[in-house]
Amino acid sequence: MRCVIARFPFDLYKDEVENSMKGIKPEPVTGDAVVISRRVYPVKQVGEVITRQDRRDFSSAEVVRALSKLGFTCRTAETAVAPAAAAARTPLETASALLGTPAAAEERTGDSL
């Protein structure tokens, strides 16, 4: 598939991208990510490998667009953060968990109703 990344045209094929990422260890993901051969890579790392350009020369959106057209699963930074935000407790829930249940509080003080 022909695509343009950082104003340069590239002919990319799914199997060639998989082969070029085969021996490369994924860096920690802090932004956009792509799944290649059951490994999650940062999009900028993949873009650097397949284009042989510096990461500052292209945007992650350009690489996400190209990899999505090739059939790879891409995750944006917003979708990666959303599940973690849902698991966060509110201040009220945190305080309730620290104080314990009413039955546990009675056992500690020795009071009964």
Side-chain angles (χ1 to χ4, degrees):
M1 180 193 83
R2 191 139 182 102
C3 64
V4 176
I5 299 175
R7 297 183 308 253
F8 291 98
F10 293 95
D11 287 321
L12 297 177
Y13 300 98
K14 187 171 184 170
D15 57 338
E16 290 178 358
V17 173
E18 290 172 342
N19 288 336
S20 58
M21 296 305 294
K22 193 171 278 185
I24 298 175
K25 182 180 176 185
E27 296 173 359
V29 177
T30 57
D32 296 340
V34 60
V35 179
I36 300 175
S37 300
R38 297 182 305 195
R39 293 178 133 187
V40 180
Y41 291 92
V43 170
K44 288 279 199 165
Q45 180 184 13
V46 175
E48 184 176 43
V49 171
I50 63 176
T51 65
R52 296 181 188 95
Q53 296 180 9
D54 190 271
R55 295 177 189 201
R56 295 172 289 184
D57 293 341
F58 55 85
S59 70
S60 61
E62 292 174 299
V63 180
V64 166
R65 190 177 317 113
L67 294 175
S68 295
K69 286 183 181 178
L70 287 175
F72 291 105
T73 303
C74 297
R75 301 178 185 157
T76 60
E78 291 83 29
T79 58
V81 174
R89 290 183 177 176
T90 65
L92 179 63
E93 291 172 334
T94 303
S96 296
L98 290 172
L99 291 174
T101 62
E106 287 179 16
E107 291 174 6
R108 277 184 282 172
T109 61
D111 295 337
S112 61
L113 296 175

